[in-house]
Amino acid sequence: MKILGIETSCDETSVAVVEDGKKILSNIIYSQVPLHKEFSGVVPELASRKHLEIILPLIKDALMEANLTLNDVDAISVTQEPGLMGSLLVGLTVAKTLAYITKKPLIPVNHINAHLYAANLEYDIPFPFIGLIVSGGHTLLTVWKNWLDYKILGTTIDDAVGEAFDKVAKLMNLGYPGGPIIDKLFKKGDANSINFPLVMLNKNNDRYNFSYSGLKTAVVYYMQRNENYVVEDVAASFQKKAIDVLFKKTKLLSEDLNINNIVIAGGVAANSYLREVFHHSKMSVFIPSIKLCTDNAAMVGGLAYHLYQNQEIDYTSLDAVDKIITPQIKRNLRKEN
Amino acid sequence: MKLALSSSSEFFSLAVYNSQDLMLTNCGFFTKKLQKWSISSVENLLKTVEMSLKDLTIIAVDTGPGKFTGLRVGVAMAKTMAFALGIDMVEACSLDIIRSDVPALMPVIVAMDGKQNRVFTKVYNANGTTGEVLDIEPGKLKYMIEAEGLHHYTMVGDGFKNYSELQGYPINEIDYFFYPKAWHMHKVWSEPKNKLEVDARYYRKTQAEERRK
């Protein structure tokens, strides 16, 4: 079964064709990073405009690379949630219209779940597993019984980890996106030179939750107190603590649930220290290659294969959903934990 | 057969043409659920005229200026239809569509509510010349009308209804004249174009770009 995947949830426009949830026939990614760089972050309206401008040429290219026509694909899949509303709407409108014209099934996909699925495009992920999603918008600890059955056990109570990288990079005028820049400086600096806090939130109801605002504030205070700070050392010390807490919380959940399989996904999964620290652990860790860590449509088309169960979805009733973790859900999560 | 679509204002409209003859229209006021409505409306419209998608030879779309989200949903839908069906597109400016509603020899000022206390406006003179599309504050448009002595022009578009600065001019009170409508598009649409070349025309930078400026 060949599925056309469309991903426009944030600042990457991507179209892919994936066969039987595994074989990537094409996966074209257009990154808008240069467009947003001068604003030190994603400008939602600019992102939506760019998605509309380039989505059809990308669909054309993805089909051409897969050596297929639109009629050859068996279904259309699209990221429905979560993401920037205007950006999601472009992808969803295009996908719905394609499904309408071609009379093919339309499969809506959750962006976060698709990120975890990216690892399954390269490995055969065993169930159950713990899924750690780390990106500019999310920091989530999840547990999965199969590709349709999962539970969120932890989230950030303030900034997402990728967001913290961007903010710290901005504080030091390093540029955007912050993650890759800080990761480069990490290799040049001394990660043990500054004792930034390791924010574990040890209360029971925050056992699997994260917080990054305290770490970010500690960086601000350090910079204020030390005018001649060494950029490489600040970046390295920050990165170490930001990643260490991800590792410790994941390990804690792994021990609590006695689940040794760990899947890590999202843009921050490209971080070199994160990959090193997890791969050197005793846990069985699956991290997608760098290309599949960023937003891409192959993960959408891949997961869609498992979501599709021969039931036609009424494409006219679909609408974009901008957020999956609302403040209310966050509060409930904290209560439940 | 041609399908025309306009969604640059809060008034969404579709029209089916057989050659240049209007066959059927579908329209309504929509705000948040534009996307849900649009696909099913196309389906219903084609069913009613007993036509199928294969009968479409051209997709016409209102490319703005106007409401950014509505514009994007409409243009995305129209371009994707043309792409999937392998047919050409024609486009029309929303302000030109509104103007085409008024008899040709009358001088007209069109002002569409552009939100953020701005209007998209264009002046159409009786001799057929036109001004540029402007994105300006209602107060500035009023000043322009006063300074250039344009009071006798026919004022159309929801900008004259929604902003107090522009109220008081003799305008037609019927909503019918306030919005671009798909069934007027054939009077002003462009020559056929490749769908990959058609895009929404915003006539306004994003707020982030304006702040930078």
Side-chain angles (χ1 to χ4, degrees):
Chain A
M1 183 181 194
K2 298 179 187 79
I3 299 182
L4 180 80
I6 295 174
E7 157 64 36
T8 62
S9 64
C10 191
D11 61 340
E12 259 111 16
T13 320
S14 180
V15 182
V17 182
V18 181
E19 189 171 6
D20 297 336
K22 270 289 185 191
K23 191 176 176 189
I24 302 174
L25 302 181
S26 63
N27 184 27
I28 298 181
I29 304 165
Y30 178 93
S31 172
Q32 296 184 15
V33 165
L35 183 69
H36 301 279
K37 211 168 189 170
E38 61 180 303
F39 304 102
S40 300
V42 178
V43 179
E45 177 61 26
L46 264 186
S48 309
R49 291 180 182 190
K50 190 47 103 176
H51 287 310
L52 177 61
E53 186 189 324
I54 63 168
I55 184 105
L56 288 183
L58 288 196
I59 292 174
K60 199 178 165 191
D61 291 350
L63 287 169
M64 200 182 288
E65 196 175 306
N67 206 16
L68 298 171
T69 67
L70 201 50
N71 285 331
D72 298 325
V73 301
D74 299 295
I76 314 287
S77 61
V78 62
T79 301
Q80 184 194 13
E81 58 165 2
L84 301 172
M85 184 54 106
S87 293
L88 287 168
L89 269 178
V90 173
L92 201 61
T93 304
V94 168
K96 281 169 69 173
T97 309
L98 282 179
Y100 166 62
I101 301 283
T102 59
K103 306 290 176 210
K104 314 258 185 202
L106 176 66
I107 308 159
V109 170
N110 177 297
H111 176 78
I112 303 302
N113 300 353
H115 260 305
L116 278 179
Y117 189 84
N120 200 53
L121 291 166
E122 297 176 317
Y123 309 98
D124 289 319
I125 305 294
F127 292 101
F129 70 80
I130 287 170
L132 172 67
I133 299 123
V134 281
S135 69
H138 302 277
T139 310
L140 295 171
L141 262 175
T142 56
V143 61
W144 293 70
K145 285 184 189 167
N146 57 58
W147 289 116
L148 306 175
D149 187 356
Y150 70 98
K151 201 174 173 188
I152 298 170
L153 294 179
T155 183
T156 177
I157 60 168
D158 40 58
D159 292 346
V161 59
E163 191 181 355
F165 272 88
D166 284 340
K167 285 179 176 174
V168 167
K170 196 173 179 180
L171 283 171
M172 294 192 282
N173 293 318
L174 297 177
Y176 171 86
I181 300 169
I182 288 181
D183 196 20
K184 263 187 194 165
L185 295 171
F186 175 84
K187 288 160 192 159
K188 296 177 187 167
D190 178 358
N192 295 310
S193 59
I194 306 162
N195 191 22
F196 288 136
L198 183 76
V199 185
M200 284 298 285
L201 301 172
N202 283 325
K203 284 180 192 166
N204 254 351
N205 58 358
D206 280 326
R207 188 170 175 82
Y208 307 124
N209 285 340
F210 302 90
S211 168
Y212 280 96
S213 67
L215 177 58
K216 184 190 68 194
T217 307
V219 174
V220 173
Y221 287 155
Y222 180 83
M223 288 168 62
Q224 284 171 351
R225 283 195 303 265
N226 302 275
E227 281 184 9
N228 299 319
Y229 62 84
V230 179
V231 174
E232 290 83 356
D233 287 347
V234 175
S237 302
F238 161 77
Q239 171 158 311
K240 186 174 187 313
K241 291 293 164 63
I243 300 299
D244 280 350
V245 73
L246 295 174
F247 177 73
K248 285 182 188 293
K249 293 264 177 177
T250 307
K251 194 162 172 279
L252 193 64
L253 182 59
S254 167
E255 286 164 359
D256 286 354
L257 300 182
N258 198 24
I259 296 175
N260 202 42
N261 301 315
I262 312 294
V263 178
I264 308 176
V268 181
N271 184 281
S272 65
Y273 177 61
L274 177 144
R275 295 172 92 91
E276 185 192 324
V277 80
F278 273 92
H279 279 314
H280 281 93
S281 73
K282 285 178 183 165
M283 297 182 286
S284 183
V285 178
F286 302 89
I287 310 178
S289 57
I290 304 286
K291 195 187 175 191
L292 291 177
C293 281
T294 55
D295 289 352
N296 68 87
M299 64 188 196
V300 176
L303 178 58
Y305 175 74
H306 297 272
L307 301 176
Y308 180 65
Q309 294 172 332
N310 292 324
Q311 57 190 31
E312 203 159 312
I313 296 164
D314 176 12
Y315 47 80
T316 57
S317 67
L318 278 184
D319 211 347
V321 181
D322 57 350
K323 282 180 184 155
I324 182 171
I325 304 298
T326 62
Q328 184 59 44
I329 293 172
K330 266 189 191 178
R331 277 194 291 276
N332 291 343
L333 269 171
R334 297 184 71 185
K335 276 181 209 162
E336 279 171 29
N337 290 337
Chain B
M1 196 175 69
K2 295 168 183 145
L3 175 73
L5 187 156
S6 171
S7 61
S8 62
S9 69
E10 58 192 291
F11 185 80
F12 184 93
S13 59
L14 292 164
V16 181
Y17 293 84
N18 194 349
S19 186
Q20 291 291 324
D21 301 325
L22 185 65
M23 293 175 74
L24 193 68
T25 64
N26 188 341
C27 61
F29 284 93
F30 286 89
T31 49
K32 287 181 179 170
K33 296 298 171 192
L34 167 73
Q35 210 208 11
K36 279 189 183 177
W37 184 76
S38 51
I39 285 274
S40 52
S41 301
V42 171
E43 225 168 2
N44 294 337
L45 199 66
L46 291 176
K47 265 184 204 163
T48 312
V49 293
E50 294 178 343
M51 294 282 184
S52 77
L53 288 163
K54 279 185 277 181
D55 297 314
L56 291 175
T57 53
I58 288 277
I59 306 285
V61 67
D62 167 358
T63 50
K67 290 178 74 172
F68 295 163
T69 302
L71 199 54
R72 259 195 298 276
V73 169
V75 173
M77 195 172 95
K79 281 180 73 167
T80 310
M81 286 185 81
F83 172 78
L85 293 168
I87 58 177
D88 279 338
M89 294 185 76
V90 293
E91 62 173 315
C93 164
S94 55
L95 304 177
D96 291 351
I97 302 169
I98 297 177
R99 190 266 173 271
S100 71
D101 215 356
V102 182
L105 293 175
M106 289 171 71
V108 174
I109 300 173
V110 179
M112 270 181 87
D113 186 353
K115 306 295 173 192
Q116 301 168 3
N117 195 35
R118 308 249 279 272
V119 291
F120 295 111
T121 188
K122 189 172 172 181
V123 175
Y124 301 81
N125 300 310
N127 62 6
T129 59
T130 63
E132 294 292 310
V133 175
L134 300 174
D135 170 26
I136 57 176
E137 290 164 14
K140 284 187 180 163
L141 176 58
K142 185 183 172 71
Y143 177 81
M144 191 176 97
I145 292 168
E146 299 300 326
E148 296 180 22
L150 307 177
H151 318 79
H152 62 289
Y153 278 49
T154 299
M155 319 284 181
V156 287
D158 61 350
F160 287 102
K161 184 179 70 165
N162 295 351
Y163 291 103
S164 57
E165 297 93 323
L166 295 174
Q167 287 166 359
Y169 290 112
I171 58 165
N172 195 315
E173 291 297 333
I174 306 167
D175 270 357
Y176 191 79
F177 289 95
F178 287 129
Y179 309 103
K181 289 168 287 277
W183 51 90
H184 290 301
M185 282 171 71
H186 64 285
K187 300 175 195 167
V188 291
W189 64 35
S190 66
E191 288 299 306
K193 285 184 169 181
N194 183 316
K195 53 263 169 195
L196 300 182
E197 291 166 13
V198 174
D199 204 355
R201 298 178 192 277
Y202 302 97
Y203 292 94
R204 183 181 298 169
K205 291 193 179 301
T206 63
Q207 288 178 331
E209 288 170 304
E210 286 187 345
R211 273 197 299 273
R212 179 195 58 185
K213 196 168 68 177

